[in-house]
Amino acid sequence: MQSIFISGAAQGIGAAIARLFIQHGYKVGLYDINLAQVEQLATELGKNAKAGLLDVTDPAQWQQALQEFSTWAGQLNILVNNAGILYSGPFENTDLSSHHRTIDINIKGVINGCYAALPLLKQANFARVINLSSASAIYGQADLATYSTSKFAVRGFTESLDIEWQKYGIRVLDVMPLFVQTAMVKDMDAQSIKKMGVNLKPEDVAQQIYELAKLKDQPWLPTHTPVGFKAKFLFNLSKLSPQFINRLSNILIAQKPK
């Protein structure tokens, strides 16, 4: 039986991933800084679910959580770096400590997870890492400056490790959804969400992650997978259009109505 370890699994996308993989017969690790909530979810999902505490900014907690889970599951096959936070609004209106916290969780949390997981992934008969990037990593988003920066970092980190870890037979991939119906986007202060809308459910992202997790390594398996029509459109537009067109389109998205 294959296993999957999910950070930030207590709610939203992480919880949807856990439910879907349980349905498909995986052993599922649900780890989150909110221990009570993730333990409740694990109880709901049954004997193939294991919950635990994880602050993704703490490398020691990563080491302990992954070792605990892999011992319980027998091996670590799939790591999903899902934990993330978002602050919205004009850059200068968000305090500096919140900008730093975004970097600590969204970037350092992913680096910590991959670093701690590699020895275990190398031992597995099939191993894959799937990171949560975002359509905000296609072009920098106004009023989401640090969040967008963090997701660009995840995108670049994913590309780098996907090449580096080929020697171990490990693919490192990411998904890039636009706005998803989760607590993260509630009351978000950005024109982009008002103009683009929130059309994706957590289950949509979970399904895409499942599709990537079950595919065997193939030369045409992409490193980046945008989720949903709008994200796919923006992703393909960014590859085909001159930079000034991409910038102009994002200015129009960010512009407040007069």
Side-chain angles (χ1 to χ4, degrees):
M1 182 181 290
Q2 289 197 346
S3 70
I4 180 171
F5 182 104
I6 308 160
S7 70
Q11 60 184 335
I13 294 171
I17 297 167
R19 290 191 175 96
L20 181 61
F21 276 80
I22 282 284
Q23 291 169 14
H24 287 282
Y26 283 72
K27 287 189 173 181
V28 177
L30 303 94
Y31 284 75
D32 200 283
I33 199 166
N34 188 332
L35 182 59
Q37 192 171 358
V38 84
E39 285 181 335
Q40 182 178 350
L41 178 58
T43 300
E44 172 195 326
L45 295 180
K47 63 182 178 64
N48 285 333
K50 180 173 179 57
L53 177 68
L54 176 62
D55 176 353
V56 297
T57 67
D58 185 341
Q61 284 196 25
W62 267 110
Q63 293 281 354
Q64 181 178 345
L66 285 166
Q67 190 60 59
E68 172 190 271
F69 174 70
S70 63
T71 300
W72 173 80
Q75 63 179 344
L76 173 64
N77 297 110
I78 301 164
L79 168 65
V80 177
N81 283 303
N82 168 71
I85 60 168
L86 178 152
Y87 294 96
S88 62
F91 174 77
E92 62 274 17
N93 290 356
T94 299
D95 61 273
L96 189 58
S97 64
S98 296
H99 289 298
H100 287 185
R101 184 166 181 259
T102 301
I103 298 303
D104 287 342
I105 293 173
N106 293 9
I107 301 177
K108 293 181 182 179
V110 175
I111 293 172
N112 291 341
C114 289
Y115 193 90
L118 180 57
L120 298 169
L121 292 169
K122 286 165 66 175
Q123 296 171 13
N125 54 24
F126 171 83
R128 184 153 295 169
V129 176
I130 302 175
N131 297 323
L132 266 290
S133 184
S134 167
S136 295
I138 297 170
Y139 197 93
Q141 295 298 300
D143 299 322
L144 294 170
T146 304
Y147 175 78
S148 188
T149 297
S150 73
K151 294 304 182 179
F152 265 95
V154 170
R155 176 177 176 171
F157 183 65
T158 300
E159 289 176 2
S160 300
L161 284 194
D162 193 31
I163 295 170
E164 279 193 42
W165 287 4
Q166 278 192 5
K167 60 180 177 266
Y168 305 127
I170 302 170
R171 289 300 305 270
V172 182
L173 313 174
D174 66 26
V175 292
M176 306 174 75
L178 198 55
F179 303 115
V180 184
Q181 295 169 15
T182 67
M184 184 181 285
V185 303
K186 187 178 180 181
D187 302 322
M188 204 173 99
D189 181 16
Q191 287 299 312
S192 53
I193 194 170
K194 297 173 184 176
K195 292 187 178 180
M196 302 296 287
V198 184
N199 304 114
L200 292 174
K201 302 187 295 295
E203 292 76 15
D204 298 322
V205 183
Q207 183 61 44
Q208 185 61 73
I209 288 173
Y210 175 68
E211 295 299 326
L212 291 175
K214 71 179 184 178
L215 288 173
K216 298 300 180 184
D217 188 16
Q218 301 160 337
W220 54 86
L221 181 61
T223 304
H224 307 298
T225 301
V227 182
F229 173 79
K230 292 179 181 178
K232 290 176 182 176
F233 175 77
L234 292 171
F235 186 71
N236 291 322
L237 179 67
S238 71
K239 292 189 292 184
L240 298 173
S241 301
Q243 186 177 348
F244 79 92
I245 294 293
N246 294 325
R247 182 174 184 274
L248 177 61
S249 63
N250 279 275
I251 287 173
L252 293 173
I253 290 170
Q255 203 169 54
K256 292 183 179 181
K258 296 180 180 179

